[in-house]
Amino acid sequence: MSEEFEQAHESLEHASEGHEGGHHNRRAAIVIAIMAAFLALTEFAEKDAQTNYLSNHILASDTWAQYQAKSIRLTVLSAEADMLQSDPKAGTDPAIQGRIAAARARADRMRSEPGADGMEQLAQRAHAVEHQRDHELHRKDILEIASGGLQIAIVLASISVVVDMPLLMWGAIALGLASALYGLYGGISPL
């Protein structure tokens, strides 16, 4: 009878050890699942930042192209006014004076046209869009680093289960938490 009691006691000890290991595995699975959820959200925000970066980059390029076109038209209108001014009849012919004045007025509108698309207004818009573009690039970089940290943390947590090393799990949790906080900062960083 004592032999049966000892075997039952040993079986109970093994079962409780297995139960503790299972408990550790469940906690590890929960930690890994939480980090995986943060990883998914971080990568989603990273893709959003990348899309916003590309959109703002294209908009800035288009705005500067429009600025350049206005600059060319300004040069042509100024050259037209200068050529008309060089005509010997320009001082006495009211038609030529009218054409000179019209060319100079159009050139002035190319430089600045409040409420519209003068060169000054286009430059201001382009600079504002470039600022947004640069912010989105910075945001994307932060989120990319956070995503990498979360991926490493998930690997460390998985390894800690296989090799049964709790210290590795604590390192994974610390890295995962730091990466998640960094990703949160990148996701909500203001302009």
Side-chain angles (χ1 to χ4, degrees):
M1 185 117 146
S2 79
E3 243 181 78
E4 291 173 358
F5 180 72
E6 282 180 35
Q7 284 178 341
H9 185 64
E10 282 180 33
S11 296
L12 187 59
E13 283 179 7
H14 286 301
S16 69
E17 285 173 11
H19 180 66
E20 287 173 13
H23 185 66
H24 172 70
N25 289 346
R26 275 191 291 252
R27 281 190 309 208
I30 290 169
V31 167
I32 291 169
I34 290 169
M35 286 192 286
F38 274 106
L39 175 61
L41 292 172
T42 302
E43 287 186 348
F44 176 75
E46 180 188 346
K47 297 279 189 231
D48 181 57
Q50 183 176 8
T51 300
N52 291 339
Y53 164 76
L54 291 172
S55 296
N56 286 321
H57 183 70
I58 291 168
L59 183 57
S61 295
D62 289 349
T63 305
W64 282 119
Q66 192 177 0
Y67 176 92
Q68 188 175 16
K70 293 267 183 173
S71 177
I72 292 168
R73 288 181 19 211
L74 171 84
T75 302
V76 168
L77 290 167
S78 296
E80 178 185 350
D82 290 344
M83 284 182 57
L84 288 169
Q85 188 72 41
S86 68
D87 189 338
K89 299 181 207 170
T92 58
D93 189 348
I96 294 176
Q97 286 296 320
R99 288 178 59 199
I100 292 171
R104 293 211 191 280
R106 287 193 314 252
D108 287 342
R109 275 198 319 274
M110 293 295 129
R111 276 189 202 92
S112 178
E113 191 172 4
D117 290 337
M119 290 172 61
E120 289 176 10
Q121 291 78 23
L122 288 170
Q124 288 172 354
R125 246 189 292 158
H127 286 302
V129 170
E130 285 174 335
H131 178 70
Q132 290 174 338
R133 175 201 62 197
D134 295 343
H135 171 73
E136 292 297 333
L137 179 62
H138 179 68
R139 207 174 133 234
K140 181 191 89 55
D141 290 344
I142 288 172
L143 291 164
E144 198 170 52
I145 291 168
S147 177
L150 284 165
Q151 290 173 4
I152 292 169
I154 290 170
V155 169
L156 290 176
S158 300
I159 290 172
S160 81
V161 171
V162 173
V163 297
D164 193 29
M165 189 180 287
L167 188 59
L168 202 54
M169 176 58 80
W170 285 110
I173 290 170
L175 179 59
L177 183 60
S179 297
L181 290 173
Y182 194 58
L184 184 62
Y185 165 73
I188 61 172
S189 63
L191 277 177

